[in-house]
């Protein structure tokens, strides 16, 4: 894969080893250097790739300590007064511990806060179920006024962060924790609400999103042969037109996500297809259960059939 | 002046009686206890707000965090000129914007409240955004059982937000009974002081006392101010004072007539 540094002047990270969350942090810093309204709101996890921001602009790095309700409420207050806060914390803590603050303070008031959620999915494999966010998309998707984006890699995370900022409305970014294989080898304007066909194919469409998962799906698709792959980073509002077109053209749809199959990408796709293009659908994701085993990320994905081999196996079993 | 303000307080109480009688019901107790606090803020020149220019970026922000007491809040907003007094008649009627809990579709309302514990964290953010803007947050005492209040209390002191004032309507009674029986708050003022707030206790029905304090904030430079307004739940009506029976309720025609008589005038 072409090194990104060759493709774009000024790029300062190696996307092969940079996490999506780290890339999001870099975009935040770049935005902050251009725009004095940008603030970083923290809940004692600034240590996770946030130290450069703190060092460069300490007065705009606002740590609320281990107190998410207060951090979310204050972020909303800052946004209502014309600031442009990014709220950086674990996905579980923002969207579940402080869910009502997100709902009322941010979403109801359309306060332009970008919630950057790290440690999403089961990437924090050794940390155990307290630190897995396998329901965050379900919560986020149900909240009015909240846009939900799960980038596929660090490059897209950087671009999506800038797009989320430009939107000027509440956004949840789902950013994983491990660096994943690179999917995009050049920056491009990120269009919120638009999916992208990454691989052509005619016998079925696999719709997916998220760090590591998108590359695993691409590998699975090449093993399967004639499978189309759609990267759907914006889970809400979802790209209905693209979904309907792919369903009609390929006749079958599979969704793959590192999230409970209740309420996540699969559900979002099912809602569209059931209404506008009913075709056979298979949802591949995490079961409706807490993940009790610990292990490294790769091992966790294998256990749950979310590596390329597992995805291929699941799709073949469904087709047979 | 205080006589004028006392008359205004009486007018607000009359509005509350009408709202509780002419709608499915209202939070009478917490509305009545907050009347002098609202009167002092809106009608004694404390709050720098202008109904003709409600979005002025330099205006004082008032967050009415104990949003269930909307009857008192709406009465004050209407009397202050944010919307016509006649609109109070639509309180909780189908199609009205005057919902049981305030929201930002109503002129003068800064924050949708009534889910308790939200006002102070948001107030912290508003105060942090611009140190020249003053932020007042009215909270209930029962509301102070919410953990988010104390998270925000920590943050306000940590960031030395002397442009932030919390006024606690300390009426001593929450929905299920006396605060000290349900979940004790005392020593309440000591808690705020321990969290780093310049804290003062006042008679929450003495407009002169409230006025003196609220015109003097911040009480200490570099610290947020907490005014604990000691009030009587249901203040002003013999049947609603010091009881949780009238935490929420609908006033019958007989009780409405009695209430208006007790307040000293019939409209």
């Amino acid at each position: 894969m072409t090194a990104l540094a060759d493709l774009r002047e000024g790029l300062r990270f190696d996307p092969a080893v940079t996490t999506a969350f780290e890339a999001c942090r870099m975009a935040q810093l770049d935005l902050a250097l251009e725009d004095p309204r940008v603030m970083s709101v923290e809940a004692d996890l600034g240590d996770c790739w946030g130290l450069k921001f703190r060092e460069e602009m300490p007065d705009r790095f606002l740590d609320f300590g281990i107190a998410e309700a207060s951090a979310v409420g204050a972020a909303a207050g800052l946004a209502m007064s014309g600031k442009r806060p990014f709220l950086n914390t674990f996905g579980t803590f923002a969207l579940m511990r402080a869910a009502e603050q997100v709902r009322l303070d941010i979403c109801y008031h359309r306060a332009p806060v970008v919630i950057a959620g790290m440690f999403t999915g089961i990437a924090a494999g050794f940390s155990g179920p307290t630190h897995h966010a396998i329901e965050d998309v379900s919560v986020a998707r149900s909240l009015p006024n909240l846009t939900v984006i799960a980038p596929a890699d660090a490059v897209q995370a950087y671009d999506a962060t800038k797009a989320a900022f430009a939107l000027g409305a509440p956004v949840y970014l789902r950013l994983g924790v491990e660096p994943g294989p690179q999917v995009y080898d050049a920056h491009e304007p990120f269009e919120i609400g638009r999916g992208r066909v990454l691989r052509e194919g005619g016998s079925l469409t696999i719709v997916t999103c998220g760090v590591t998962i998108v590359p695993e799906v691409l590998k699975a698709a090449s093993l399967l042969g004639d499978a189309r792959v759609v990267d759907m980073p914006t889970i809400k509002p979802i790209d209905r037109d693209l979904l309907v077109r792919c369903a009609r053209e390929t006749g079958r749809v599979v969704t793959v996500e590192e999230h409970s199959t209740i309420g996540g990408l699969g559900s979002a796709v099912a809602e569209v297809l059931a209404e506008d293009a009913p075709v056979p659908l298979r949802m591949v994701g995490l079961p409706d259960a807490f993940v009790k085993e610990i292990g490294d990320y790769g091992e966790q994905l294998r256990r749950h059939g979310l590596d390329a081999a597992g995805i291929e196996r699941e799709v073949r079993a469904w087709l047979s | 002046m205080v006589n004028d303000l006392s008359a205004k307080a009486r007018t607000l109480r009359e509005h509350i009686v009408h709202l509780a009688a002419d709608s499915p019901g209202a939070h009478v107790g917490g509305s009545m206890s907050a009347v002098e606090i609202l009167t002092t803020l809106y009608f004694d020149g404390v709050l720098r707000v202008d109904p003709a220019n409600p979005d002025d970026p330099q205006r004082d922000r008032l967050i009415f965090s104990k949003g269930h007491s909307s009857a008192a809040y709406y009465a004050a907003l209407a009397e202050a000129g944010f919307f016509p007094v006649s609109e109070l008649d639509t309180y909780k009627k189908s199609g009205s914007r005057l919902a049981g809990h305030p929201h930002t579709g109503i002129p003068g309302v800064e924050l949708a409240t009534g889910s308790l514990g939200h006002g102070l964290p948001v107030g912290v953010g508003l105060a942090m955004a611009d140190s020249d803007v003053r932020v007042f947050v009215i909270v209930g005492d029962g509301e102070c059982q919410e953990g988010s209040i104390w998270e925000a209390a920590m943050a306000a002191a940590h960031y030395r937000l002397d442009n932030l004032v919390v006024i606690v309507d300390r009426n001593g009674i929450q929905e299920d009974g006396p605060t000290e029986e349900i979940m004790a708050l005392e020593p309440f003022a000591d808690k705020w002081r321990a969290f780093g707030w310049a804290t003062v206790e006042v008679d929450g029905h003495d407009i002169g006392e409230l006025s003196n304090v609220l015109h003097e904030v911040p009480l200490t430079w570099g610290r947020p101010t907490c005014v604990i307004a000691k009030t009587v739940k249901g203040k002003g009506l013999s049947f609603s004072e010091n009881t949780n029976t009238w935490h929420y309720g609908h006033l019958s025609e007989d009780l409405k007539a009695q209430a208006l008589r007790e307040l000293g005038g019939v409209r």
Side-chain angles (χ1 to χ4, degrees):
Chain A
M1 191 163 283
T2 315
L4 198 63
D6 297 338
L7 294 168
R8 183 172 171 268
E9 191 184 352
L11 191 99
R12 294 155 295 103
F13 64 91
D14 177 354
V17 296
T18 304
T19 68
F21 189 75
E22 189 176 0
C24 173
R25 288 276 203 189
M26 289 179 181
Q28 293 177 31
L29 182 55
D30 287 352
L31 288 163
L33 291 167
E34 294 164 6
D35 189 330
R37 299 172 303 166
V38 173
M39 320 288 255
S40 183
V41 173
E42 304 288 330
D44 198 38
L45 290 164
D47 189 39
C48 298
W49 301 290
L51 299 181
K52 192 161 178 355
F53 193 113
R54 182 170 76 181
E55 187 185 304
E56 297 221 2
M57 39 196 87
D59 57 330
R60 287 154 67 188
F61 186 90
L62 306 175
D63 208 323
F64 286 82
I66 307 162
E68 288 77 13
S70 155
V72 172
L78 286 161
M80 288 171 195
S81 287
K83 302 296 183 188
R84 296 299 305 276
F86 284 87
L87 176 76
N88 297 297
T89 187
F90 288 5
T92 48
F93 301 161
L95 279 173
M96 283 176 265
R97 180 191 292 258
E100 206 217 356
Q101 275 77 19
V102 172
R103 172 184 182 263
L104 181 58
D105 304 345
I106 294 178
C107 294
Y108 172 78
H109 295 94
R110 290 183 195 271
V113 178
V114 177
I115 302 166
M118 58 179 143
F119 272 60
T120 54
I122 53 172
F126 288 112
S127 293
T130 55
H131 284 55
H132 299 153
I134 58 174
E135 322 89 338
D136 54 319
V137 173
S138 183
V139 174
R141 220 164 59 80
S142 68
L143 297 175
N145 299 336
L146 187 61
T147 293
V148 183
I149 302 173
D153 67 1
V155 178
Q156 197 183 52
Y158 182 94
D159 298 335
T161 302
K162 290 203 157 179
F165 176 79
L167 185 67
V171 177
Y172 174 58
L173 295 173
R174 186 177 207 246
L175 296 161
V177 64
E178 294 281 337
Q182 192 177 338
V183 175
Y184 292 92
D185 58 9
H187 286 278
E188 54 191 57
F190 182 91
E191 267 190 88
I192 291 171
R194 294 296 292 273
R196 237 185 87 153
V197 177
L198 294 181
R199 184 180 193 276
E200 286 298 343
S203 65
L204 81 161
T205 302
I206 309 180
V207 183
T208 186
C209 65
V211 175
T212 304
I213 302 303
V214 174
E216 289 299 318
V217 166
L218 284 168
K219 277 191 268 179
S222 63
L223 297 168
L224 287 163
D226 190 25
R228 184 179 298 183
V229 175
V230 170
D231 177 25
M232 190 65 79
T234 311
I235 304 173
K236 180 184 164 187
I238 202 158
D239 190 341
R240 295 182 77 94
D241 292 347
L242 180 61
L243 286 175
V244 168
R245 180 164 67 79
C246 290
R248 289 191 177 139
E249 287 172 0
T250 67
R252 292 191 203 88
V253 173
V254 175
T255 59
V256 181
E257 63 190 312
E258 185 187 336
H259 185 275
S260 164
T261 49
I262 297 178
L265 174 71
S267 298
V269 170
E271 288 158 16
V272 172
L273 297 186
E275 284 187 347
D276 290 349
V279 296
L281 171 72
R282 185 74 176 182
M283 288 192 260
V284 178
L286 296 168
D288 178 25
F290 292 102
V291 174
K292 295 198 176 76
E293 312 86 355
I294 63 168
D296 71 32
Y297 186 31
E299 193 178 357
Q300 294 283 64
L301 293 180
R302 277 193 298 283
R303 278 194 184 119
H304 292 94
L306 288 170
D307 62 330
I311 296 162
E312 184 204 5
R313 200 167 53 239
E314 180 76 17
V315 173
R316 285 199 193 282
W318 179 55
L319 293 176
S320 64
Chain B
M1 186 63 184
V2 166
N3 280 341
D4 291 349
L5 292 171
S6 297
K8 186 63 83 175
R10 194 175 77 187
T11 300
L12 296 192
R13 284 203 167 85
E14 288 169 352
H15 285 314
I16 294 166
V17 168
H18 281 284
L19 295 182
D22 303 341
S23 75
H27 284 86
V28 175
S31 291
M32 290 298 190
S33 63
V35 162
E36 279 76 16
I37 297 168
L38 288 163
T39 299
T40 307
L41 285 167
Y42 278 102
F43 306 108
D44 190 32
V46 174
L47 273 187
R48 297 190 288 246
V49 292
D50 178 6
N53 190 13
D55 299 324
D56 178 359
Q58 291 308 306
R59 70 191 183 278
D60 287 342
R61 307 299 201 275
L62 174 69
I63 295 179
F64 192 73
S65 194
K66 45 171 281 172
H68 52 288
S69 304
S70 58
Y73 187 35
Y74 294 161
L77 288 171
E79 286 291 330
F82 282 95
F83 53 84
V85 169
S86 59
E87 191 177 338
L88 291 173
D89 294 340
T90 70
Y91 182 62
K92 294 170 84 168
K93 302 265 164 61
S94 179
S96 167
R97 59 184 174 181
L98 298 186
H101 297 91
H103 58 89
T104 46
I106 300 166
V109 174
E110 297 281 357
L111 190 77
T113 56
S115 174
L116 298 175
H118 285 256
L120 195 53
V122 175
V124 165
L126 294 173
M128 288 175 89
D130 186 343
S131 58
D132 292 331
V133 165
R134 302 192 308 165
V135 181
F136 296 81
V137 183
I138 300 175
V139 301
D141 52 359
E143 180 178 6
C144 293
Q145 292 157 356
E146 290 281 4
S148 56
I149 292 282
W150 301 102
E151 290 186 12
M154 256 190 297
H158 179 84
Y159 285 107
R160 302 178 179 280
L161 302 179
D162 54 21
N163 57 334
L164 177 64
V165 179
V166 67
I167 303 165
V168 186
D169 182 356
R170 181 74 174 110
N171 63 34
I173 296 174
Q174 56 192 113
E175 178 149 4
D176 282 358
T179 59
E180 299 317 287
E181 288 178 20
I182 303 302
M183 183 50 64
L185 293 166
E186 295 294 341
F188 193 52
D190 288 346
K191 285 190 169 83
W192 287 95
R193 289 190 186 105
F195 272 71
W197 289 59
T199 303
V200 62
E201 295 175 276
V202 301
D203 178 341
H205 297 303
D206 184 329
I207 292 172
E209 212 176 310
L210 282 165
S211 177
N212 287 341
V213 169
L214 293 174
H215 278 290
E216 289 302 316
V217 293
L219 299 180
T220 305
W221 292 106
R223 286 182 189 273
T225 297
C226 174
V227 179
I228 298 174
K230 293 186 168 177
T231 58
V232 173
K233 184 112 172 178
K235 173 75 174 177
L237 307 177
S238 59
F239 56 87
S240 69
E241 284 194 1
N242 284 318
T243 170
N244 67 334
T245 307
W246 283 96
H247 175 83
Y248 178 89
H250 167 76
L251 290 179
S252 66
E253 282 301 310
D254 285 350
L255 277 178
K256 175 183 171 184
Q258 181 189 335
L260 292 175
R261 268 198 313 277
E262 288 184 8
L263 291 174
V266 180
R267 289 196 306 176

